[in-house]
Amino acid sequence: MSFNIALNFEDGVTRFISCNTGEKILDAAYRQKVNLPMDCSDGVCGTCKCHCASGEYALGEDFLEEALSEEENQQRQVLTCQMVPQSDCVIDVPVPASACKTGIGSFQATVIRSSTLSSSAIELVVEPEKGIDFLPGQYVNIQVPGTAQVRAYSFSSLPGDTHASFLIRNVPDGLMSTWLLQHAKAGEPLTLTGPMGSFYLRPVQRPIVMLAGGTGLAPFLAMLKKLAKSPVNQPITLLYGVTKENDLVMTDALDELAQRLPNFSWLPVVTDAGSACAQKGFVTDHFNDALLNDGDVDVYLCGPPPMVDAVLRTLQERQITPASFHYEKFAPGKTAEQSAAA
């Protein structure tokens, strides 16, 4: 038996390794040519200290408190030279990937279809040459065929699926949008690089509030599909904000997920005052005390910079500090800016 271990480096690169039953993380990484920080490898120096963001593990007692204090142990700091996983795990490594003699992986995929969902959204479905490991919420860079340019898109599909899907904003005269609308054909090759990003689903410990702006819905579809495979008891609420009513896409998928996740509900929010949608304005207009739960919530936000700034400002004005707050900004035609704050 082996476990899937996600190593998240401080520069946003994620590298997946397999760890055998009873094997230490440091040994598994070195076996797969990832040189995690280390010095003594005996639990003495603390050089290999990382943080386990999720998953079960054993550390044993064969390390010095100078290397890992009891307080650090309680905070899920780990020594990779002593850590033996007991489930799949996510580990935050406090150095860039290049310092560990590893980097971003590239892989090939072929286009299955490119579909116009609305005037503002395109769905791209590809078949990777092999299964893609990523954390729900993460993104890849896709090279625009015929150019050296790349664009960043979050997965809307599940890790390991035979097909990978993405929601792409239709930018007038945009490089990728133009290619998808005018040139993309089934079987066309694409180069993907990643996965990357610190915006991903954490273990569910309290109510979750998801805030999506336009095609920022994509990572939440991946997260919700993951949660639907192992339903949780905490309430999950998605506010899905768009400019016009016809910008709402994948609503059937959201309704189907609501059937599979009894504690999940979603609300469309439309800026256009002439919309028939019951919730008009911006997502921040629909914050309420029940939703924010006096700050005992995990907030996930993916949308354009003005939306991110508005949410941050509104939370500050309401004097609400969420238990955790994770966000991703994106701008048309540019590589996504990944950010997270706890």
Side-chain angles (χ1 to χ4, degrees), residues 266-279:
W266 72 279
L267 288 174
V269 180
V270 181
T271 306
D272 182 9
S275 167
C277 180
Q279 295 78 226

Side-chain angles (χ1 to χ4, degrees), residues 198-199 326-329 337-341:
S198 57
F199 186 74
H326 311 280
Y327 65 89
E328 176 185 22
K329 292 181 181 181
E337 174 191 340
Q338 300 284 326
S339 304

Side-chain angles (χ1 to χ4, degrees), residues 254-338:
L254 290 173
D255 289 339
E256 191 266 337
L257 285 163
Q259 292 294 319
R260 295 167 58 193
L261 276 167
N263 297 314
F264 167 61
S265 61
W266 72 279
L267 288 174
V269 180
V270 181
T271 306
D272 182 9
S275 167
C277 180
Q279 295 78 226
K280 296 183 181 65
F282 302 100
V283 294
T284 50
D285 297 327
H286 301 277
F287 286 178
N288 55 52
D289 292 341
L291 182 72
L292 298 177
N293 199 32
D294 199 28
D296 187 26
V297 292
D298 292 332
V299 177
Y300 293 84
L301 163 61
C302 184
M307 179 183 179
V308 174
D309 295 340
V311 170
L312 290 168
R313 185 170 58 252
T314 301
L315 290 174
Q316 185 176 28
E317 289 170 353
R318 295 179 69 112
Q319 298 184 320
I320 294 290
T321 301
S324 72
F325 182 46
H326 311 280
Y327 65 89
E328 176 185 22
K329 292 181 181 181
F330 63 80
K334 295 182 179 179
T335 298
E337 174 191 340
Q338 300 284 326

Side-chain angles (χ1 to χ4, degrees), residues 227-243:
L227 290 169
K229 297 187 72 172
S230 302
V232 295
N233 294 323
Q234 298 290 353
I236 304 164
T237 305
L238 167 69
L239 297 183
Y240 176 18
V242 296
T243 303

Side-chain angles (χ1 to χ4, degrees), residues 71-341:
E71 182 180 3
E72 290 174 322
N73 195 351
Q74 294 300 317
Q75 295 170 348
R76 293 178 63 89
Q77 295 286 95
V78 296
L79 301 177
T80 58
C81 72
Q82 301 298 311
M83 176 185 175
V84 177
Q86 297 176 333
S87 72
D88 294 345
C89 292
V90 178
I91 300 174
D92 298 327
V93 184
V95 297
S98 57
C100 298
K101 297 185 178 180
T102 189
I104 304 172
S106 291
F107 51 93
Q108 298 298 306
T110 55
V111 173
I112 299 299
R113 66 178 180 274
S114 173
S115 308
T116 301
L117 302 182
S118 72
S119 60
S120 61
I122 302 166
E123 183 183 35
L124 173 65
V125 180
V126 304
E127 182 176 7
E129 60 184 358
K130 58 181 180 180
I132 307 173
D133 281 323
F134 60 91
L135 302 172
Q138 288 191 309
Y139 71 97
V140 290
N141 284 329
I142 302 179
Q143 184 175 347
V144 183
T147 79
Q149 297 293 310
V150 299
R151 297 293 183 265
Y153 301 112
S154 300
F155 291 96
S156 58
S157 51
L158 272 173
D161 280 358
T162 55
H163 292 174
S165 58
F166 308 89
L167 282 182
I168 296 174
R169 183 177 176 185
N170 184 3
V171 180
D173 299 320
L175 195 63
M176 180 62 89
S177 300
T178 299
W179 183 83
L180 288 171
L181 293 174
Q182 299 182 10
H183 305 291
K185 297 181 178 63
E188 195 85 24
L190 288 174
T191 300
L192 285 64
T193 303
M196 291 174 279
S198 57
F199 186 74
Y200 61 86
L201 182 66
R202 271 67 174 181
V204 180
Q205 300 175 324
R206 57 186 65 85
I208 291 177
V209 175
M210 297 176 170
L211 307 172
T215 53
L217 177 66
F220 295 118
L221 290 171
M223 292 180 186
L224 290 166
K225 290 172 184 176
K226 176 70 173 179
L227 290 169
K229 297 187 72 172
S230 302
V232 295
N233 294 323
Q234 298 290 353
I236 304 164
T237 305
L238 167 69
L239 297 183
Y240 176 18
V242 296
T243 303
K244 297 181 179 180
E245 197 165 344
N246 64 6
D247 293 326
L248 292 168
V249 299
M250 307 297 288
T251 56
D252 288 346
L254 290 173
D255 289 339
E256 191 266 337
L257 285 163
Q259 292 294 319
R260 295 167 58 193
L261 276 167
N263 297 314
F264 167 61
S265 61
W266 72 279
L267 288 174
V269 180
V270 181
T271 306
D272 182 9
S275 167
C277 180
Q279 295 78 226
K280 296 183 181 65
F282 302 100
V283 294
T284 50
D285 297 327
H286 301 277
F287 286 178
N288 55 52
D289 292 341
L291 182 72
L292 298 177
N293 199 32
D294 199 28
D296 187 26
V297 292
D298 292 332
V299 177
Y300 293 84
L301 163 61
C302 184
M307 179 183 179
V308 174
D309 295 340
V311 170
L312 290 168
R313 185 170 58 252
T314 301
L315 290 174
Q316 185 176 28
E317 289 170 353
R318 295 179 69 112
Q319 298 184 320
I320 294 290
T321 301
S324 72
F325 182 46
H326 311 280
Y327 65 89
E328 176 185 22
K329 292 181 181 181
F330 63 80
K334 295 182 179 179
T335 298
E337 174 191 340
Q338 300 284 326
S339 304

